[in-house]
Amino acid sequence: MVVYQAYRPAIADYAVNHQRFGGEFSFTRMSWVKPNFLWMMYRSGWATKEGQERILALWLQRDFFDELLASAVASSFDSNRYATRDDWATAIETSDVRLQWDPDHDPHGKPLARRAVQLGLRGPSLRRFSDEAIVKVEDITPFVQQQRDLLEQGVDSLFTPLELVYWPANSNTANSVGLDAPLSYAPTHTT
């Protein structure tokens, strides 16, 4: 499973060189991972926003990603999962994993009707993410910069990573994060 994050150079350099986070990376705040490339490009301005100049592709163990989904608490109240808003608020305060659905974005940053998920990690989940779950840290900034330049020529020139709809191994997890059924998917952009 590949997720993306954007960082300032010092954090990215440490992560690439050590294949884990440390150095200036803060384990005391929430860190958001995005499994959608174009959502990350929108958020980071194609690696142009201050503090987000470097884009990392983080290869994770699938079992760990499924664990994150299973323990995630949605950032907005879901009456199907929580009896009361107080129950949900308590879950938000005590959970190490926050799940948020946001509009996906096209290559130019325009919001789309479909949703993209991002996961906020903190506490022990963030530490496990860094120390145990990462299989590989890859700096894809040169690729991002190249694609940003190609985008100026039009979307047809653009290459993006192939992304397929992710379906958790456990159907209860799929239901808890708001997926109804496995979807068939035809990618619109490939590398």
Side-chain angles (χ1 to χ4, degrees):
M1 176 71 198
V2 177
V3 298
Y4 304 96
Q5 289 188 297
Y7 290 106
R8 64 182 183 271
I11 292 175
D13 286 341
Y14 184 99
V16 170
N17 291 334
H18 295 88
Q19 293 295 293
R20 59 181 291 281
F21 288 99
E24 295 181 21
F25 181 85
S26 175
F27 285 98
T28 60
R29 25 181 312 209
M30 188 166 279
S31 184
W32 292 87
V33 299
K34 296 158 183 62
N36 180 284
F37 178 80
L38 287 177
W39 203 104
M40 184 75 262
M41 296 308 98
Y42 163 75
R43 180 71 177 91
S44 70
W46 287 87
T48 62
K49 292 184 180 177
E50 184 177 347
Q52 299 183 51
E53 301 92 348
R54 299 275 293 282
I55 308 296
L56 301 180
L58 306 161
W59 301 68
L60 303 180
Q61 298 169 3
R62 181 188 170 123
D63 290 347
F64 178 78
F65 191 78
D66 279 353
E67 280 181 47
L68 292 177
L69 290 175
S71 64
V73 176
S75 58
S76 42
F77 175 66
D78 178 357
S79 61
N80 293 323
R81 193 163 179 198
Y82 298 98
T84 68
R85 287 190 176 273
D86 287 341
D87 291 344
W88 167 73
T90 299
I92 283 280
E93 288 301 315
T94 58
S95 175
D96 285 348
V97 184
R98 179 97 33 98
L99 178 136
Q100 186 167 306
W101 288 101
D102 296 304
D104 196 358
H105 291 81
D106 74 10
H108 295 287
K110 178 183 169 196
L112 301 172
R114 69 176 177 244
R115 310 295 273 174
V117 71
Q118 63 174 329
L119 297 173
L121 311 179
R122 66 179 175 193
S125 291
L126 180 57
R127 186 57 81 168
R128 282 188 59 222
F129 164 75
S130 174
D131 296 346
E132 301 171 23
I134 294 175
V135 175
K136 179 169 98 172
V137 177
E138 182 179 5
D139 185 349
I140 62 168
T141 307
F143 171 77
V144 168
Q145 293 166 336
Q146 178 188 44
Q147 296 313 305
R148 182 182 66 220
D149 293 343
L150 287 173
L151 183 57
E152 292 177 13
Q153 299 171 26
V155 174
D156 292 340
S157 301
L158 185 67
F159 288 93
T160 62
L162 175 64
E163 295 175 346
L164 303 175
V165 172
Y166 185 84
W167 189 255
N170 183 319
S171 60
N172 291 332
T173 299
N175 291 334
S176 74
V177 299
L179 297 174
D180 296 328
L183 303 171
S184 60
Y185 177 74
T188 56
H189 301 285
T190 60
T191 55

